Amino acid sequence: QVQLVESGGDLVQPGGSLRLSCAASGRIFSIFAMGWYRQAPGKQRELVATITSGGNTNYVDSVKGRFTISRDNAKNTVYLQMNSLKPEDTAVYYCNADVTYRSGTYSFKRDSCWGQGTQVTVSS
């Protein structure tokens, strides 16, 4: 019912920058929070950054000062600006959204929705 599509992943040199985007579509009523997660090979998926509809943000310590999460509520889109990228940032980055959507004429559902992921590779 609700789809999240990430884009912007690429191969970039250490110290470079990338901007990821994630657009939510469907019968969306509201999105409370959106976030970015990442998973490197052989590692657990970890929370990178979150942002609420009111603009409150949180970051994992390893990206503080380098990454910035933002959102455009009108477009149901969340962004992750990544600067000063390091090889250890290499991972598949996934978008997540806490979405309330219309499932019927008088029916609503609230779900945590995931995108398909976008690959970020930091290497020379």
Side-chain angles (χ1 to χ4, degrees):
Q1 191 71 252
V2 176
Q3 297 80 43
L4 273 61
V5 179
E6 303 101 330
S7 63
D10 205 351
L11 171 65
V12 64
Q13 293 184 333
S17 298
L18 286 173
R19 183 176 176 86
L20 307 182
S21 64
C22 171
S25 62
R27 293 179 174 269
I28 298 170
F29 179 76
S30 65
I31 302 177
F32 170 65
M34 304 184 80
W36 289 95
Y37 294 71
R38 66 185 180 186
Q39 187 167 22
K43 297 184 178 180
Q44 296 273 7
R45 185 175 298 187
E46 68 171 348
L47 178 65
V48 178
T50 60
I51 185 168
T52 69
S53 59
N56 294 320
T57 60
N58 285 285
Y59 301 89
V60 67
D61 287 343
S62 60
V63 308
K64 288 181 178 177
R66 300 188 297 121
F67 291 9
T68 302
I69 189 170
S70 61
R71 65 188 285 176
D72 185 333
N73 292 333
K75 296 181 178 180
N76 292 322
T77 300
V78 63
Y79 306 93
L80 186 67
Q81 178 66 47
M82 304 185 294
N83 299 324
S84 301
L85 283 162
K86 304 175 180 179
E88 50 263 45
D89 295 318
T90 296
V92 177
Y93 284 70
Y94 297 91
C95 176
N96 176 264
D98 182 356
V99 182
T100 298
Y101 61 94
R102 187 181 298 276
S103 60
T105 304
Y106 306 103
S107 179
F108 293 89
K109 297 286 186 180
R110 184 173 181 177
D111 285 315
S112 178
C113 303
W114 291 90
Q116 82 288 346
T118 185
Q119 177 70 51
V120 172
T121 303
V122 185
S123 177
S124 60

